[in-house]
Amino acid sequence: MFRREEALNLVKKHVSKRNIVYHMLAVEAIMRSLARHFGEDEEKWGLVGLIHDIDYEKTETTPEKHSLVAEQILKDVLPEELLRAIKAHNFRHTGVKPESRMEKALIASDAISGLLVACALVMPSKKLAEVRVETVVKKFKDKDFARGADRERILLCEEIGLQREQFFEIALNGLKEIAQEIGL
């Protein structure tokens, strides 16, 4: 299987914007945390989180191509299961309906990462260490806060067997593990 180091090198080759790389690292951390919780393959779940937006800069203005360009970049290095998860995270454009736990987890992780980062940035220290689950619950309910964090996508956590607060805690703890790496 494609190793994390190889994936990270490929990400750096295709993604030049630091914030996009940080987002991908954040989704990786959340996916790893979820994999541990569910007893799933942490390497596989982390890898799909890390590489899910590898084509973002190439498809930013053509969202209907997002994840399909990624499939072309990754088709020789990733198994079909991971390629499908990447395409499913853009299901509104690809038509690939999320079915597996990993696919739904990727969508929810992708969305919650933005909400968690926004929560950190409104803290006095601008650090994740200050963010509590209660803060996330409150900010989740405020539709004007972090508007780009699609609440409907976050709620896919319920389809994988997690209550919203439980998902927030798992995601937040996963993100705190790499806080220094992403400047939070």
Side-chain angles (χ1 to χ4, degrees):
M1 168 112 95
F2 197 47
R3 291 189 333 263
R4 182 186 189 275
E5 184 180 324
E6 295 169 299
L8 193 54
N9 287 336
L10 201 55
V11 164
K12 289 176 181 175
K13 178 180 172 187
H14 289 274
V15 181
S16 63
K17 294 178 183 168
R18 186 179 63 182
N19 284 347
I20 304 297
V21 173
Y22 283 179
H23 164 71
M24 294 165 76
L25 291 168
V27 176
E28 174 193 22
I30 294 167
M31 287 293 286
R32 285 179 175 278
S33 189
L34 286 168
R36 279 192 299 274
H37 174 80
F38 287 119
E40 296 283 355
D41 184 332
E42 192 175 328
E43 293 306 312
K44 185 175 12 174
W45 281 45
L47 188 62
V48 80
L50 174 62
I51 210 153
H52 79 285
D53 274 348
I54 195 164
D55 67 351
Y56 183 80
E57 289 180 6
K58 291 176 177 64
T59 62
E60 197 169 359
T61 60
T62 54
E64 67 279 1
K65 293 181 181 179
H66 178 47
S67 74
L68 299 176
V69 172
E71 179 182 35
Q72 293 307 306
I73 294 168
L74 301 166
K75 68 182 178 186
D76 295 329
V77 293
L78 285 186
E80 179 56 37
E81 175 189 21
L82 301 189
L83 291 173
R84 187 182 195 295
I86 290 168
K87 289 185 292 186
H89 103 274
N90 189 26
F91 65 93
R92 290 183 180 128
H93 292 288
T94 64
V96 177
K97 185 177 184 240
E99 296 170 355
S100 73
R101 180 185 278 169
M102 181 176 59
E103 291 166 1
K104 292 175 182 179
L106 178 60
I107 293 165
S109 298
D110 189 24
I112 193 70
S113 69
L115 182 66
L116 296 175
V117 168
C119 285
L121 293 176
V122 298
M123 294 291 137
S125 68
K126 299 195 181 323
K127 299 291 180 191
L128 279 164
E130 272 189 87
V131 179
R132 305 283 175 256
V133 172
E134 298 77 24
T135 306
V136 182
V137 169
K138 181 180 173 189
K139 296 299 189 184
F140 177 85
K141 291 176 184 174
D142 179 356
K143 304 298 183 221
D144 289 328
F145 182 80
R147 288 184 182 167
D150 187 328
R151 274 50 172 184
E152 188 179 314
R153 292 170 69 89
I154 291 170
L155 288 176
L156 275 177
C157 67
E158 295 172 349
E159 291 187 26
I160 60 172
L162 295 174
Q163 295 299 317
R164 154 183 342 181
E165 290 81 6
Q166 185 182 21
F167 175 58
F168 294 168
E169 182 175 11
I170 292 167
L172 182 59
N173 289 338
L175 205 50
K176 284 180 177 181
E177 290 177 16
I178 65 151
Q180 191 169 7
E181 190 176 349
I182 61 172
L184 295 174

